[in-house]
Structure formats: structure tokens, C-alpha cells
Amino acid sequence: MGKNKLKKFAEMETLECVYQYPFAELKASGACPLRGLWGRDVFHNDRPITLELGCGKGEYAVGMGRTYPDRNFIGIDIKGARMWTGARQVADNGMDNVAFLRTSIHLLPEFFSPGEVSEIWITFPDPQMKKVNKRLTGTHFLKIYSRVLAPDGVIHLKTDSPFLYTYTLEMIRHNGLELIAATDDLYASPLAEVVPPITTYYEEQWLSRGIPSKYIAWRLPSTPEGVDSLSEPDVEIEPDTYRSFGRGTLQGF
């Protein structure tokens, strides 16, 4: 491991906006001590909490915190060295409505109580074209989200991937979920006036290559029975013609 990474990991331990709980500690205690108490003990208010999943450098969480000072935001990722960038910005700017949590998305129910989260943002994830159970908009993860989201909570997806966009719409249609909004070209649609005006470094790369940002917002079923019945759509979807997560070049470029 490089010295720079070691330095970042060491600094992460000192930043007040960063929360890290080793799995062994969670296993011993049964749950994070902040579970159900993020508003009171971290943000010191009862404002809505939004999660950014797979936050990377935390650009979206920080941007949302600046845009909406009356809401609370938590960026979540398993990789601390990347998260350090956003955490450093929060510390340097004295932001009190943005925090970062280093953990696996699978463990969300260990960190948040039912209904504690108002919204979830999934920004430019790996589309996982070969592994449906790893897709962050797949039913495997939707059932996890349902254990922390408020009954009227909204899930937002921004993606460069035509595959993930199509798959997510098919998943919503197949399960009869409430579709709030969808567009395969966000900045050429009226939704650009509604969706937060935040672009990440990677999103700028896609846009500069002529790949439009796609956006979907939807809600989960309102009953446990509805969540339990979620299933995968039986459809064939054309794969992306470029490396979405590896950030490779477009075919023909």
C-alpha cells in the first residue's frame, strides 16, 4: 500500500465527519451504536437523511450538502482512500450536514433503523452486467434498502450505462413499482431543472465523450409483502459497448 494511502487512512481516523466500524465490532455489538440516532447524535437535528451509495470521492454528497443546507447527507463506500477527498472538503469548509460512513452496502440495516432514511442516491455505479445480485438497483439490494427507507422514500439513479438504465426500468415495470421520473438524456430534458445541479468528475468524462446521463426515480412497495415479492425481470438487454466502470473508450472513438 502506498504511503499516500496510509496517510489518508490515518487522517480518516481523525476526521469528525467520518464513521468507521470494523465488522468484528459490529458482530460483537449486534449493530452500530448510532443506529436510529444519526439525526440526534451526528447532525443534531431531525431533518431528512439522504444516503449516497458507492459515493467514491463523495462529490455528490458534498454537492448535495451545499445545495440543500436544510437536509442531511451521508456518503457510503467501502473504500476509505477515495472517501477521504469528500471528507476533507467537509472538514475544511465546516459543513455540519454531511457525513461519511465506511462500510458495505449490504450492512445498511446494521447502521440505520427502519424509516430512518428519506432518500437514496445511486450515482454512476458499476452496472454489473453479468452479476444481477451485485446490481445496486437489483431486487437483492432493493430489499435491503426497504429495511431503512421511510415508507414514502425515493430511490434515485444517475448512470451513464444504457444497460443499467434499461434494466432498472424493466425491473420497475416487472414489479409494478411507482415510477416517479425517467429520462435517457437528463440534460436535454425538463428534469434537468428538477434534479440537483451536481456533476461528478466521472460524469463530466462521459458527457465529454458524448454519453448522456440517464436518470430514474422510483419508490418501493409500501408493504413488507410487496417487498418480499420483488423478482427479477426475464428480459434480454443489450450490453454496453464500452467499459462503464473501468472508464474505457467508446467503440469507434
Side-chain angles (χ1 to χ4, degrees):
M1 183 181 295
K3 290 184 179 180
N4 196 37
K5 268 193 175 182
L6 290 174
K7 182 179 178 181
K8 288 179 178 179
F9 281 131
E11 188 173 352
M12 289 274 283
E13 296 287 345
T14 69
L15 295 174
E16 293 184 359
C17 64
V18 175
Y19 296 85
Q20 304 182 82
Y21 294 91
F23 182 73
E25 184 178 330
L26 278 178
K27 189 174 181 181
S29 63
C32 171
L34 287 171
R35 185 175 186 266
L37 302 173
W38 287 87
R40 190 192 76 180
D41 292 354
V42 174
F43 299 111
H44 309 295
N45 59 55
D46 59 358
R47 297 168 181 167
I49 294 175
T50 295
L51 305 184
E52 182 197 1
L53 304 183
C55 69
K57 295 181 179 181
E59 295 162 285
Y60 220 82
V62 172
M64 294 275 275
R66 287 172 173 156
T67 305
Y68 304 104
D70 58 341
R71 299 179 66 91
N72 302 318
F73 300 90
I74 303 175
I76 298 177
D77 207 301
I78 196 65
K79 295 185 178 180
R82 295 192 302 185
M83 189 187 296
W84 172 88
T85 302
R88 187 69 265 171
Q89 290 177 359
V90 168
D92 290 344
N93 290 280
M95 300 178 69
D96 59 5
N97 67 331
V98 181
F100 290 92
L101 172 63
R102 186 182 177 195
T103 190
S104 166
I105 294 171
H106 287 95
L107 298 177
L108 287 182
E110 308 299 324
F111 288 90
F112 301 95
S113 63
E116 190 171 9
V117 175
S118 294
E119 286 187 326
I120 287 177
W121 277 84
I122 306 168
T123 52
F124 299 91
D126 183 338
Q128 296 289 350
M129 289 182 281
K130 295 182 179 180
K131 300 177 181 178
V132 64
N133 278 349
K134 289 191 174 184
R135 292 175 200 158
L136 293 187
T137 61
T139 56
H140 170 74
F141 279 101
L142 294 186
K143 292 177 182 180
I144 294 174
Y145 306 156
S146 73
R147 295 171 61 187
V148 304
L149 264 177
D152 60 346
V154 179
I155 302 174
H156 305 263
L157 169 70
K158 280 184 80 177
T159 181
D160 60 285
S161 168
F163 174 91
L164 187 61
Y165 177 78
T166 302
Y167 162 78
T168 304
L169 284 179
E170 289 292 341
M171 181 278 302
I172 292 170
R173 181 196 61 77
H174 172 72
N175 289 286
L177 304 185
E178 180 186 352
L179 178 64
I180 300 171
T183 176
D184 62 0
D185 193 346
L186 175 59
Y187 300 112
S189 80
L191 288 174
E193 302 297 323
V194 180
V195 175
I198 302 163
T199 55
T200 66
Y201 170 80
Y202 284 126
E203 182 176 8
E204 293 288 353
Q205 297 299 304
W206 303 146
L207 294 172
S208 69
R209 296 178 184 181
I211 304 174
S213 295
K214 300 148 189 66
Y215 170 79
I216 307 175
W218 73 100
R219 289 190 177 93
L220 295 178
S222 57
T223 64
E225 294 78 16
V227 172
D228 290 342
S229 67
L230 291 175
S231 61
E232 291 295 324
D234 184 16
V235 293
E236 292 290 333
I237 302 173
E238 183 178 351
D240 296 335
T241 58
Y242 64 102
R243 293 174 60 210
S244 183
F245 192 70
R247 312 313 187 192
T249 57
L250 283 168
Q251 289 184 0
F253 269 48

